[in-house]
Amino acid sequence: MSLITLTTDFGSVYPAAMKGVILGIDPRATIVDISHTVPHADIRAGAFALYSVVPYFPVGTVHVAVVDPGVGTARNSIVISAGGHLFVGPDNGLMVPAASRMGKMEIHKITNLGLLGDVSATFHGRDVFAR
């Protein structure tokens, strides 16, 4: 069973689409909402929310974090592995404080978006990071 956290600036409706994608892949997944009320495009606030709670989750947790003023631009999508946790989201500094708190980081760029099917230019939270 997967344990997945979500941290976004999406408000109350759009996280449901991400959860639907996750549960379509693994119906037994446990999804924990850290926050969906991060102020719009406020990477620092999102980073603080994630940093504040990550140590309380067990090894093996996947943290999906999307506060992304650069969506639709050439910014990279990444996965960070640190201390037995995975952090999935945009390469904009959002996940680095939390990941570094967990230990030595290994950062990997998500390169083969073709495996994901249709990817919207504006909803990478659903189409890239939730998958």
Side-chain angles (χ1 to χ4, degrees), residues 66 68-78 89-92 121 124-125 128-129:
V66 189
D68 191 12
V71 69
T73 69
R75 68 92 181 97
N76 292 316
S77 300
I78 60 172
D91 184 11
N92 63 9
H124 288 179
V128 177
F129 306 130

Side-chain angles (χ1 to χ4, degrees), residues 63-68 75-80 86-95 108-110 124-125 128-130:
H63 304 279
V64 178
V66 189
V67 178
D68 191 12
R75 68 92 181 97
N76 292 316
S77 300
I78 60 172
V79 176
I80 302 173
L86 293 176
F87 299 82
V88 182
D91 184 11
N92 63 9
L94 172 66
M95 303 176 295
H108 304 275
K109 181 178 170 184
I110 299 171
H124 288 179
V128 177
F129 306 130

Side-chain angles (χ1 to χ4, degrees), residues 2-84:
S2 303
L3 177 57
I4 301 167
T5 72
L6 300 177
T7 305
T8 75
D9 60 352
F10 292 171
S12 63
V13 176
Y14 296 109
M18 292 176 64
K19 292 176 184 182
V21 168
I22 293 165
L23 293 171
I25 294 166
D26 182 357
R28 299 171 303 157
T30 300
I31 303 169
V32 176
D33 296 305
I34 292 175
S35 178
H36 299 295
T37 59
V38 172
H40 177 69
D42 190 339
I43 294 169
R44 278 189 166 181
F48 179 76
L50 190 59
Y51 176 89
S52 297
V53 301
V54 161
Y56 303 105
F57 286 90
V59 167
T61 301
V62 176
H63 304 279
V64 178
V66 189
V67 178
D68 191 12
V71 69
T73 69
R75 68 92 181 97
N76 292 316
S77 300
I78 60 172
V79 176
I80 302 173
S81 174

Side-chain angles (χ1 to χ4, degrees), residues 112-124 126-128 131:
N112 195 348
L113 298 181
L115 291 175
L116 302 176
D118 292 334
V119 175
S120 161
T122 58
F123 201 174
H124 288 179
R126 177 195 63 208
D127 298 338
V128 177
R131 292 182 183 184

